[in-house]
Amino acid sequence: MKNKKWISLAAAIVLAVTALPMTAFAAKKDGAEEKLIKVTLNEVAHSIFYAPQYVAIEEGYFAEEGLDLTLVTGFGADKVLTALIAGEADIGFMGAEASIYAYQEGATDPAVNFAQLTQRAGNFLVAREEMQDFKWEDLKGKKVLGGRKGGMPEMVFEYILRKNGLDPQKDLTIDQSIDFGSTAAAFTGDKTADFTVEFEPSATALEKEGAGYVVASLGVDSGYVPYTSYSAKTSYMEKNPEIIQKFTNALQKGMEYVQSHTPEEIAEVIAPQFAETDLDIVTTIVKRYYEQDTWKSDLIFEKESFELLEDILEDAGELNERVSYEDLVTTEYAAKAAEK
């Protein structure tokens, strides 16, 4: 990915002249010209929460595997899934609940999850005031800026509330009307809200501004949940198993990097992906995720994790009937990548 602008230009010229399949040419390696296969990845959000993916990009692991990766941010699992179905993306990165919803609606070419990146929720509860001894029951009677109905952030939030004896519909007011990524700005402007649920870097930014204070981690309080995973349409996987394997291999290298390096080293590597954020803030955020065991050591999406996800969907009233793990998850690629 690094310094490959000339590759994309060369590929565009070749395509315009010859209309050949979409491939790019990398610099000569060991005297041989190496073809890079173009792959478009649509991610649900661009967040430090997904550090292993950005390590894989910045360290050139995708290029090492022969892939020329284009990264697009979809801003919401529903939008990522739409891009995947429309063929605008080859691989989607989002909560696996999106693939379940599509399957429930009778998708003829379902999105199958082949790699799980995060094993904890990545958002935090931010309060208007400092609360050293916060307890979840403190939310009774309060207004919270939450996430989109049926999305993982909101469902995990409600899952935690129920675990702590709170009824999400009766014991507090959750505003689910605000677009993904806009809640932090809304929180600073809407003084009627007592709390907001935020991803990074928004949570830390609110603290830096003195506009809010992180009082709880949804990742810690929910326990291990399969929060985000990679999926591709069944037809794409059947036609391109080698691409899926190469993609998974590159991700696995990113996973291994974050397992074997310090938060400071990880932050230094992924900093170019977050050029608008100071390195010290990137480091603070990486450390926060690192210390709560956010990232798996491998990419295998286990059956018990999938079943827990369905439990959460059922609790939220979003699951019509349970879907078979084998229908929407394959561990073939992640298992092979872990063996390398």
Side-chain angles (χ1 to χ4, degrees):
M1 283 294 293
K2 290 180 181 177
N3 303 317
K4 297 287 194 234
K5 288 184 180 178
W6 66 272
I7 297 174
S8 298
L9 178 60
I13 293 170
V14 170
L15 285 169
V17 175
T18 66
L20 289 174
M22 292 206 310
T23 56
F25 294 89
K28 288 187 177 181
K29 186 178 180 182
D30 298 329
E33 195 172 59
E34 181 188 3
K35 280 186 178 180
L36 296 183
I37 304 167
K38 282 186 171 292
V39 175
T40 299
L41 168 64
N42 193 309
E43 60 176 2
V44 65
H46 197 70
S47 172
I48 295 165
F49 183 39
Y50 311 129
Q53 172 181 286
Y54 306 126
V55 167
I57 291 171
E58 293 298 324
E59 288 295 287
Y61 297 151
F62 288 104
E64 283 179 11
E65 290 292 332
L67 301 180
D68 179 21
L69 186 72
T70 297
L71 182 64
V72 178
T73 304
F75 299 103
D78 53 338
K79 295 179 179 64
V80 174
L81 183 65
T82 298
L84 198 63
I85 292 171
E88 296 168 2
D90 303 310
I91 296 169
F93 178 52
M94 57 192 153
E97 81 284 352
S99 65
I100 295 176
Y101 295 153
Y103 192 82
Q104 282 188 152
E105 292 169 7
T108 55
D109 191 5
V112 173
N113 300 280
F114 62 87
Q116 179 189 336
L117 186 78
T118 54
Q119 62 182 1
R120 287 189 184 274
N123 42 2
F124 300 87
L125 185 68
V126 179
R128 185 78 61 187
E129 308 290 340
E130 284 189 274
M131 302 176 71
Q132 297 294 337
D133 300 311
F134 171 80
K135 301 177 292 300
W136 286 97
E137 50 262 39
D138 293 335
L139 293 182
K140 275 195 172 183
K142 303 299 185 181
K143 179 180 176 181
V144 182
L145 303 185
R148 177 179 57 84
K149 184 179 185 300
M152 278 300 284
E154 176 63 23
M155 289 191 297
V156 170
F157 178 47
E158 293 184 12
Y159 175 68
I160 293 170
L161 294 176
R162 292 188 188 94
K163 278 178 64 176
N164 286 274
L166 295 173
D167 185 324
Q169 278 72 49
K170 296 178 181 178
D171 291 330
L172 64 158
T173 300
I174 305 175
D175 185 342
Q176 300 180 41
S177 67
I178 302 168
D179 289 340
F180 182 87
S182 300
T183 49
F187 187 65
T188 57
D190 179 7
K191 301 302 182 184
T192 67
D194 304 290
F195 298 86
T196 182
V197 178
E198 297 294 337
F199 278 96
E200 295 287 15
S202 297
T204 296
L206 286 171
E207 286 193 319
K208 293 281 184 182
E209 295 166 14
Y213 302 88
V214 172
V215 295
S217 163
L218 275 70
V220 170
D221 289 304
S222 65
Y224 292 115
V225 294
Y227 206 77
T228 43
S229 61
Y230 296 86
S231 60
K233 288 194 297 187
T234 301
S235 59
Y236 183 86
M237 296 179 76
E238 289 174 348
K239 291 176 185 175
N240 304 284
E242 290 185 4
I243 292 177
I244 298 294
Q245 189 62 65
K246 289 173 181 293
F247 182 91
T248 310
N249 291 346
L251 280 176
Q252 179 63 39
K253 293 175 186 176
M255 301 293 271
E256 290 168 0
Y257 185 100
V258 300
Q259 294 292 331
S260 59
H261 290 75
T262 65
E264 290 77 13
E265 291 169 328
I266 297 166
E268 189 78 39
V269 168
I270 69 171
Q273 289 282 326
F274 303 93
E276 73 289 351
T277 306
D278 291 341
L279 180 59
D280 63 325
I281 294 178
V282 175
T283 304
T284 297
I285 295 169
V286 170
K287 191 173 295 185
R288 185 173 274 169
Y289 283 134
Y290 185 93
E291 290 174 349
Q292 69 179 39
D293 195 24
T294 293
W295 306 298
K296 286 165 56 66
S297 59
D298 60 47
L299 295 153
I300 298 171
F301 197 153
E302 304 286 359
K303 186 172 184 176
E304 63 181 321
S305 293
F306 185 80
E307 290 176 346
L308 172 59
L309 172 60
E310 293 201 297
D311 290 342
I312 293 171
L313 292 176
E314 279 186 334
D315 285 347
E318 299 291 342
L319 189 64
N320 298 331
E321 83 181 85
R322 294 182 81 92
V323 176
S324 169
Y325 168 76
E326 289 76 17
D327 286 339
L328 290 183
V329 178
T330 177
T331 60
E332 172 189 353
Y333 305 100
K336 285 182 181 175
E339 292 171 1
K340 285 182 169 287

